[in-house]
Amino acid sequence: MAAVCTAEAKAGERAEATVTDYALAATVLAEADYILFAGGAGLSAECGLKTFANAGTFADGLSYDQVASLDSFAKRPGHFYRFWGGMSEAYAKAPLHEGYTILNRWRQRCEAKRTEAASVKEAVTEAEAKTQAEAEAETQVEEEASRSVPAATFAVTSNVDGYFVRCGFPPEQVAEIHGNVRTWQCGGKPTGKRFPLIERERCGDALLPPPDLSAFTSPPSADAADDAAEDAPPPACPRCGDGRMRPHVYLFGDGNRFANDAGTTKTAAYREWTDAVVQRATALGARVAIVEVGSGLRVPTIRKRCEELLARLPGGQGALIRINPDHPDQPIVASPTHSFQEGAVNCLVGIEAALGGTLTDADAQRVLSTY
């Protein structure tokens, strides 16, 4: 079980322990050949956004999971579209906190290390006296090997705000397993009845640009829904005409109605990346760091995936850094290697300071002696 750096320790003790723990996590990142970045709701909540855990109630006393649900899509369209219109606007306007900048910086460092290593290898190769035939044969072998070399980093998230891409992560290296609000889909034709909710399922898996939601402009709140919003017709699917559009987001109670194409959500790319990383850790001794931020126990999808990857890695080749103010340990599959019972920004800033060499020499010597 990982040692947990908690906010409840005495001030003097916590300062010393935190410096040590930050430095240990920094060492893991500095030595990693591959890094998986994983974000849950807690990562974006510190941008000031409403989440399942902190949202309170909305119109007519509905909770987050009630208004952001298939049930509301089918039976309360005014509430549903006001919610998603308001949340989409909030996602777009909220400034990204410093933690996102730090995560992207770690990504860039890891990828730069890969590029630098490749350059050194190329220089050594050129310096060696080889015949043309030997050089061509080696080049062919290296090209075949490079096709199976995974990217240095990947990100996986259950958040639907698109913030990993917004802060600089390449879209092809971000798996948004619950979709995102940047794209919409056909939601099928509701019955207007209590059961069944849907008369005809979606017309296809094609993704669509967001519709005009100007008729649903009232921000989500505990106030009664605006009459105009309740009377406005729901946006129709432009492909089939009688289906309703909905965000390409996994709704509460969705079942299989979310257009869960593995290529679109990048979950297929995520599986390929993790398989390749595990293979290289096993065969070549590659080191893998997993940075999990803000994934709690209410919706533990990301948390479980991080632990599953850790469990697949050979002993000593993988480390899971978990940052969560409420549930820093509580394993499902495997215990984290380093746990921080802190908010995302504070902890990421602390680890970044350690990575940047701002620890004292005494701190560094203590860390090296205990790692």
Side-chain angles (χ1 to χ4, degrees):
M1 182 174 294
V4 179
C5 173
T6 70
E8 286 77 25
K10 295 179 182 179
E13 294 177 353
R14 181 176 183 274
E16 182 176 349
T18 298
V19 167
T20 302
D21 284 350
Y22 286 162
L24 290 172
T27 302
V28 167
L29 292 169
E31 294 181 348
D33 300 298
Y34 299 96
I35 303 178
L36 174 67
F37 298 95
L43 177 59
S44 292
E46 292 190 39
C47 292
L49 300 174
K50 292 181 181 293
T51 69
F52 179 51
N54 69 11
T57 57
F58 296 90
D60 292 344
L62 296 175
S63 62
Y64 187 106
D65 57 317
Q66 288 174 321
V67 73
S69 67
L70 182 70
D71 193 72
S72 278
F73 165 75
K75 298 192 299 189
R76 295 180 290 268
H79 293 65
F80 182 84
Y81 291 107
R82 283 179 68 235
F83 173 84
W84 284 111
M87 292 304 292
S88 297
E89 184 177 5
Y91 292 154
K93 290 183 176 180
L96 297 183
H97 59 62
E98 187 179 359
Y100 277 104
T101 302
I102 291 171
L103 292 175
N104 191 43
R105 190 177 299 147
W106 294 352
R107 174 190 68 82
Q108 292 170 328
R109 284 176 183 158
C110 189
E111 293 179 353
K113 184 170 69 172
R114 164 79 64 81
T115 303
E116 181 180 354
S119 299
V120 170
K121 182 178 180 180
E122 182 178 351
V124 171
T125 300
E126 290 177 353
E128 294 176 348
K130 289 188 176 74
T131 66
Q132 182 176 358
E134 289 173 333
E136 290 177 352
E138 182 171 296
T139 298
Q140 182 177 357
V141 170
E142 289 181 348
E143 287 178 350
E144 291 175 355
S146 67
R147 283 193 286 270
S148 63
V149 175
T153 65
F154 207 91
V156 60
T157 181
S158 56
N159 297 340
V160 299
D161 47 44
Y163 282 3
F164 271 108
V165 174
R166 181 176 160 187
C167 80
F169 280 67
E172 66 274 13
Q173 291 170 222
V174 179
E176 297 174 309
I177 63 173
H178 289 170
N180 66 70
V181 296
R182 302 188 306 274
T183 53
W184 285 50
Q185 66 172 79
C186 177
K189 182 179 179 181
T191 62
K193 302 176 182 178
R194 184 182 298 272
F195 183 83
L197 291 175
I198 304 298
E199 176 181 335
R200 180 185 58 76
E201 299 296 343
R202 64 180 182 272
C203 62
D205 289 348
L207 299 185
L208 308 162
D212 177 12
L213 294 178
S214 58
F216 306 91
T217 54
S218 300
S221 70
D223 299 331
D226 182 81
D227 290 339
E230 286 301 302
D231 294 337
C237 173
R239 299 187 70 221
C240 63
D242 63 346
R244 286 183 191 169
M245 292 184 72
R246 49 161 282 185
H248 182 233
V249 166
Y250 192 85
L251 304 176
F252 289 91
D254 226 2
N256 62 0
R257 293 187 170 93
F258 170 62
N260 194 15
D261 178 77
T264 300
T265 61
K266 303 297 187 298
T267 52
Y270 169 75
R271 287 194 296 269
E272 291 173 3
W273 186 85
T274 53
D275 287 346
V277 164
V278 169
Q279 191 277 330
R280 295 183 77 80
T282 303
L284 303 176
R287 297 188 178 187
V288 183
I290 306 166
V291 182
E292 175 204 303
V293 188
S295 179
L297 296 175
R298 291 184 183 224
V299 184
T301 313
I302 294 299
R303 194 181 185 95
K304 186 170 182 286
R305 291 191 183 215
C306 291
E307 292 182 11
E308 287 173 340
L309 175 57
L310 179 65
R312 292 178 63 192
L313 293 166
Q317 300 306 118
L320 168 57
I321 300 168
R322 169 168 292 158
I323 303 170
N324 192 292
D326 301 314
H327 307 289
D329 199 355
Q330 290 81 24
I332 301 171
V333 177
S335 291
T337 316
H338 304 279
S339 295
F340 295 89
Q341 194 169 5
E342 292 188 271
V345 175
N346 285 345
C347 188
L348 293 172
V349 168
I351 298 173
E352 172 64 2
L355 270 172
T358 58
L359 295 176
T360 67
D361 290 341
D363 290 330
Q365 289 299 320
R366 184 175 63 253
V367 170
L368 289 175
S369 68
T370 59
Y371 187 72

